Amino acid sequence: ERANTINMNAGPSPLPDAALLTAAASLLSYPETPGMGIAEISHRSPAFDNVVVKANDSLRKLLEIPSNYRILWMQGGGLTQFAATALNLLAWYRIKNQLKPEDEVDAWYAVTGSWSKKAAEEGARVGVNAKKVFDGKKYGGGKFKGIPPASEWDIPQLEENGRKPAFVYYCDNETVDGIEFGGVGSETSFPFDKFDPEVPVVADMSSNFLSRPVDVSKYGIIYAGAQKNLGPAGVTLVIVREDLIVDLDEAVKYGGTRVPSMLSYKNMADTNSMYNTPPTFTIYVCSLVLRSLLASPPLPLSSPDARPLSPLSDFADQKSSLIYAELDDGSGFYVGTADKAVRSRMNPTFRLNGGEELEKKFVKAASEKGIKGVNGHRSVGGIRTSIYNAVTLDQVKTLVAFMREFRDQNQ
Ligand code: PMP
């Protein structure tokens, strides 16, 4: 069954077979703790400690994470990080600037799609003045469809000694809308140069994590829910620059609010992510996925000095280009929803010119061929083909052949 199924779910999504086979065996008996499965041992045991150490080690190698960044394994998904990023940086900013309780704090959000929009709303809910430096809905006339150059954004000019925002926030790949900074064939990257380098940049990389090299040193915080390229749902990876980690209780002196201790980056960093019981099995599977990415990347390194994630980037370009070429075949049968400059390499989204009924037929016919999960997010409809790292080139070719056949039969 598995061999005949092409799983294009947007998340949770397919994971590499090798990792799953090892994980399955380890549920009954883990080699370091014979007779006891990996989900049955203490998170405070040397065996589990090793799991985290190895996972962190693989991550540091793959993402070339500098030593002044901490890796935290947290719970509560991406949505919890919408609040946690804001609360931790609010506290950092209040302490750094010795603010008074009445002082307000700004945070700037580039709203390029559904998830960054939600993040801005959550930031406002937990106490920042969330300002949109770009509003993709306005730009797209009610729909998220593109990101123009930053010269067309609404970035406030800061006067000399004016109040800086506590952080700038963006989402690297908008999973629902199929919009990515640096999408396929494009150079559109996040415009770091338009912002004060002292202001930390926060990036939600939930859905394109581990799909290309990243210059971590440009960021204050990078986070990613595991359930796309990293592992099963249940854990969120946070990579945070050390100097931004503060004691949230200290910020109360400067007008901060009390924050639940589980949201504190400091608590997580001080305890190596074991402030409470972490989702041990999920983290273990993540460690296996990371190991498999290091040991057997999907394409060979293009040169000996290529960066560790370059093969995954080439792989994502290759796969997504095949789908986009089909959208651009000139027939107009399929219509991409995102501007060409920001087309996601992970979640190509499109509509059928024939309308919603035809889209339903497409999803059903795909499913009958074993191609699962291609319906668009419930909030936007249409079609979304999620092609994360574990989706093979052959599977994408099968999808494209299906798209052609469906077009020929329904044009
Ligand atoms: N950010 C992005 C980019 C996402 O794709 C998602 C979920 N798919 C979220 C945030 C929310 O994550 P969660 O469901 O883990 O809270």
Side-chain angles (χ1 to χ4, degrees):
E1 285 279 294
R2 188 172 172 86
N4 295 324
T5 301
I6 299 180
N7 179 351
M8 296 202 163
N9 278 306
S13 17
L15 296 169
D17 286 6
L20 294 178
L21 285 168
T22 308
S26 299
L27 273 172
L28 288 172
S29 184
Y30 185 57
E32 285 186 37
T33 57
M36 295 185 283
I38 185 69
E40 303 171 315
I41 59 168
S42 169
H43 56 295
R44 308 214 181 268
S45 60
F48 186 71
D49 216 38
N50 266 337
V51 169
V52 179
V53 168
K54 282 188 189 153
N56 287 351
D57 196 44
S58 305
L59 261 173
R60 276 199 194 273
K61 283 195 187 123
L62 280 167
L63 268 172
E64 305 158 281
I65 303 175
S67 59
N68 62 326
Y69 284 74
R70 296 295 302 263
I71 298 171
L72 314 176
W73 299 83
M74 294 184 67
Q75 297 182 60
L79 246 67
T80 299
Q81 291 308 315
F82 294 173
T85 49
L87 287 166
N88 280 274
L89 289 178
L90 252 177
W92 164 77
Y93 187 86
R94 283 198 173 275
I95 295 169
K96 182 168 89 107
N97 295 296
Q98 309 217 323
L99 295 188
K100 300 195 180 61
E102 64 273 22
D103 292 332
E104 295 189 352
V105 179
D106 293 343
W108 292 356
Y109 288 82
V111 176
T112 57
S114 312
W115 291 116
S116 46
K117 177 171 178 284
K118 273 203 163 183
E121 288 160 6
E122 190 74 357
R125 187 174 291 123
V126 301
V128 294
N129 257 335
K131 299 207 161 150
K132 291 181 191 170
V133 290
F134 171 67
D135 184 345
K137 266 226 161 137
K138 240 190 232 169
Y139 172 77
K143 282 190 179 149
F144 292 112
K145 63 185 269 293
I147 313 172
S151 53
E152 293 172 38
W153 295 15
D154 205 4
I155 304 173
Q157 288 299 313
L158 292 177
E159 294 127 44
E160 198 74 17
N161 301 322
R163 194 172 69 182
K164 291 178 186 174
F167 60 91
V168 177
Y169 181 106
Y170 82 99
C171 176
D172 214 39
N173 180 60
E174 286 285 0
T175 326
V176 171
D177 312 281
I179 292 174
E180 184 176 23
F181 278 96
V184 65
S186 116
E187 297 297 319
T188 328
S189 53
F190 183 78
F192 288 94
D193 59 333
K194 297 283 189 255
F195 297 95
D196 186 318
E198 275 183 28
V199 177
V201 173
V202 178
D204 175 359
M205 295 196 186
S206 293
S207 52
N208 64 353
F209 196 59
L210 301 171
S211 73
R212 66 177 171 209
V214 172
D215 184 353
V216 175
S217 69
K218 286 186 171 163
Y219 294 86
I221 299 170
I222 293 171
Y223 72 86
Q227 65 269 26
K228 285 99 159 82
N229 273 333
L230 180 58
V235 75
T236 309
L237 200 91
V238 182
I239 301 167
V240 52
R241 211 175 65 214
E242 232 157 32
D243 62 285
L244 300 174
I245 301 176
V246 296
D247 182 345
L248 297 183
D249 290 336
E250 195 191 333
V252 175
K253 279 189 260 170
Y254 303 103
T257 49
R258 294 268 173 207
V259 172
S261 51
M262 277 296 288
L263 298 184
S264 155
Y265 291 160
K266 185 169 191 315
N267 287 345
M268 290 296 152
D270 287 350
T271 58
N272 267 330
S273 306
M274 304 218 204
Y275 187 67
N276 73 335
T277 317
T280 50
F281 182 67
T282 296
I283 296 175
Y284 171 64
V285 180
C286 293
S287 78
L288 297 176
V289 172
L290 290 164
R291 194 172 76 188
S292 79
L293 289 180
L294 266 177
S296 45
L299 297 172
L301 278 183
S302 51
S303 70
D305 53 353
R307 299 177 64 184
L309 287 176
S310 301
L312 282 159
S313 181
D314 295 344
F315 186 50
D317 283 350
Q318 235 181 46
K319 289 188 294 180
S320 56
S321 302
L322 288 180
I323 297 174
Y324 289 120
E326 223 31 54
L327 306 186
D328 297 340
D329 73 346
S331 72
F333 186 78
Y334 299 111
V335 185
T337 55
D339 286 354
K340 286 190 181 167
V342 291
R343 282 174 158 179
S344 170
R345 301 160 311 130
M346 297 284 115
N347 317 93
T349 49
F350 54 91
R351 307 291 316 212
L352 267 63
N353 202 10
E356 275 178 37
E357 282 310 311
L358 196 59
E359 287 170 349
K360 278 193 198 139
K361 191 173 164 190
F362 179 93
V363 173
K364 188 159 172 277
S367 178
E368 282 161 5
K369 293 252 174 201
I371 305 171
K372 307 287 181 184
V374 298
N375 50 301
H377 189 269
R378 62 189 189 285
S379 62
V380 293
I383 309 294
R384 169 172 57 176
T385 50
S386 295
I387 47 171
Y388 298 116
N389 289 344
V391 175
T392 65
L393 182 61
D394 278 344
Q395 289 180 326
V396 173
K397 285 182 179 164
T398 304
L399 167 80
V400 167
F402 164 75
M403 286 171 69
R404 268 182 213 163
E405 187 186 292
F406 188 85
R407 183 196 53 211
D408 291 345
Q409 286 166 359
N410 292 278
Q411 211 161 17

